[in-house]
């Protein structure tokens, strides 16, 4: 009997391993196809763009000169600072808006107002009022991340099944226990969706901010390359932003899977 159980466990482990490897294999296939398509259209002169080999060679040169690592470090520092501050502020504000009606009535109009104003439109005002140092760049990233995450958190709180709340009340749960055991777990999927959206907004905002006022960063490097029609450098920056954003998004997805193991998922 124990032998049969062990065999069953081995089979289940192999199936789980295969299921985990399948998406990775498909991702690699998609990546290879994209590189092949890119190489094909540039080799056939269908578009005036640098090919993969040329961009890769330029990336090696930028890494060797130290420019690319410096730009990555500058952009990452700005994104992570603004993004983490925005998420840290959005989660408690979203919970307060979702749980307390008066707080929602006071705050929601401002949230909706600023959501209609693109963070990129605030960059000139931020530069005029805060100068051209790091503060305006971090602020607009903070704003973009905050607005994305606060709405998702608020939506998560108001979407909690009222039956669960009533059941917890009947069992004697106070507000603290209710928040800890019911509201927060049920809201986590919504919060992490907001975090992923905020992460994308943070990268879009930092590139725009660096295009206007910066001395380093991936957006700054693209602006400098544009002046000299240096397409390979522009492509290196674009690809680097995409890779960094993808890696950070995968980290958020892994966190989401870990925190929402209880949630049934579509395969």
């Amino acid at each position: 009997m124990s032998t049969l159980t062990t065999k069953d466990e081995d089979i289940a482990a192999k199936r789980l391993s295969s299921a985990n490897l399948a998406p990775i294999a498909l991702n690699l296939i998609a990546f290879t196809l994209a590189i092949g398509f890119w190489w094909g259209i540039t080799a056939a002169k269908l578009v005036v763009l640098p090919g993969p080999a040329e961009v890769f060679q330029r990336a090696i040169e930028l890494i060797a000169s130290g420019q690319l690592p410096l730009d990555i470090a500058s952009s990452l520092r700005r994104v992570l600072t603004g993004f983490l501050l925005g998420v840290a502020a959005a989660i408690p504000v979203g919970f307060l808006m979702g749980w307390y009606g008066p707080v929602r009535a006071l705050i929601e109009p401002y949230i909706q107002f600023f959501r209609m104003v693109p963070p990129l439109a605030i960059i000139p005002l931020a530069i005029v009022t805060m100068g051209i140092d790091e503060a305006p760049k971090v602020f607009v990233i903070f704003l973009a991340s905050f607005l994305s995450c606060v709405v998702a958190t608020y939506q998560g709180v108001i979407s909690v099944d009222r039956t669960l709340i009533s059941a917890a009340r009947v069992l004697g749960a106070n507000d603290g226990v209710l928040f800890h055991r019911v509201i927060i777990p049920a809201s986590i999927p919504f919060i992490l969706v907001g975090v992923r959206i905020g992460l994308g907004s943070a990268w879009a905002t930092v590139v725009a901010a660096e295009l206007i006022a910066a001395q380093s960063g991936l957006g700054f490097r693209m602006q400098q390359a544009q002046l000299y029609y240096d397409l390979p450098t522009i492509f290196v920056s674009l690809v680097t932003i995409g890779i960094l954003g993808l890696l950070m998004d995968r980290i958020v997805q892994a966190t989401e899977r870990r925190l929402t193991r209880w949630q049934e998922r579509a395969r």
Side-chain angles (χ1 to χ4, degrees):
M1 186 67 159
S2 60
T3 304
L4 181 59
T5 303
T6 303
K7 288 182 178 179
D8 290 341
E9 290 177 352
D10 291 341
I11 293 172
K14 289 179 180 178
R15 288 178 177 174
L16 182 59
S17 178
S18 299
N20 290 333
L21 288 175
I24 297 176
L26 291 174
N27 288 163
L28 292 174
I29 291 171
F31 176 75
T32 303
L33 290 174
I35 294 295
F37 176 75
W38 180 11
W39 176 84
I41 61 173
T42 54
K45 307 294 185 183
L46 297 178
V47 290
V48 184
L49 294 175
E54 187 178 356
V55 172
F56 180 76
Q57 180 61 37
R58 184 59 178 149
I60 296 298
E61 294 172 358
L62 290 173
I63 292 172
S65 67
Q67 286 185 348
L68 187 58
L70 175 62
D71 291 335
I72 290 174
S74 298
S75 293
L76 269 179
R77 183 179 66 251
R78 292 164 185 147
V79 166
L80 289 176
T81 303
F83 170 71
L84 292 177
L85 288 175
V87 171
I91 292 175
V93 171
F95 275 119
L96 289 173
M97 286 175 56
W99 192 250
Y100 298 105
V103 175
R104 178 165 62 251
L106 285 171
I107 298 178
E108 187 181 17
Y110 295 102
I111 298 294
Q112 298 303 331
F113 172 82
F114 282 106
R115 283 185 65 229
M116 299 302 110
V117 179
L120 302 183
I122 300 178
I123 292 176
L125 176 63
I127 291 174
V128 170
T129 56
M130 299 180 185
I132 59 173
D133 292 329
E134 294 299 300
K137 303 176 189 62
V138 172
F139 174 74
V140 293
I141 296 167
F142 162 84
L143 187 61
S145 304
F146 172 82
L147 293 173
S148 299
C149 194
V150 72
V151 173
T153 304
Y154 159 71
Q155 191 63 39
V157 175
I158 65 173
S159 299
V160 175
D161 190 343
R162 295 296 155 182
T163 303
L164 297 176
I165 297 175
S166 300
R169 292 289 193 195
V170 169
L171 293 173
N174 56 27
D175 281 350
V177 173
L178 188 62
F179 253 81
H180 179 66
R181 295 294 183 89
V182 179
I183 304 299
I184 293 177
S187 302
I188 283 177
F190 290 85
I191 294 172
L192 291 175
V193 168
V195 168
R196 294 182 67 186
I197 296 172
L199 184 60
S201 300
W203 275 108
T205 304
V206 74
V207 170
E210 290 174 347
L211 287 172
I212 295 175
Q215 297 301 316
S216 63
L218 295 167
F220 167 78
R221 192 62 54 196
M222 283 192 285
Q223 182 190 40
Q224 294 298 305
Q226 175 200 356
L227 298 176
Y228 301 100
Y229 203 71
D230 185 359
L231 289 178
T233 298
I234 294 175
F235 265 74
V236 170
S237 298
L238 288 173
V239 172
T240 302
I241 291 169
I243 291 173
L244 291 174
L246 179 62
L247 291 175
M248 293 174 72
D249 183 73
R250 289 292 185 265
I251 292 172
V252 175
Q253 279 188 312
T255 304
E256 179 184 11
R257 286 193 296 270
R258 186 175 184 84
L259 294 177
T260 59
R261 291 176 178 174
W262 51 269
Q263 190 179 35
E264 185 176 352
R265 298 175 179 276
R267 294 294 180 184

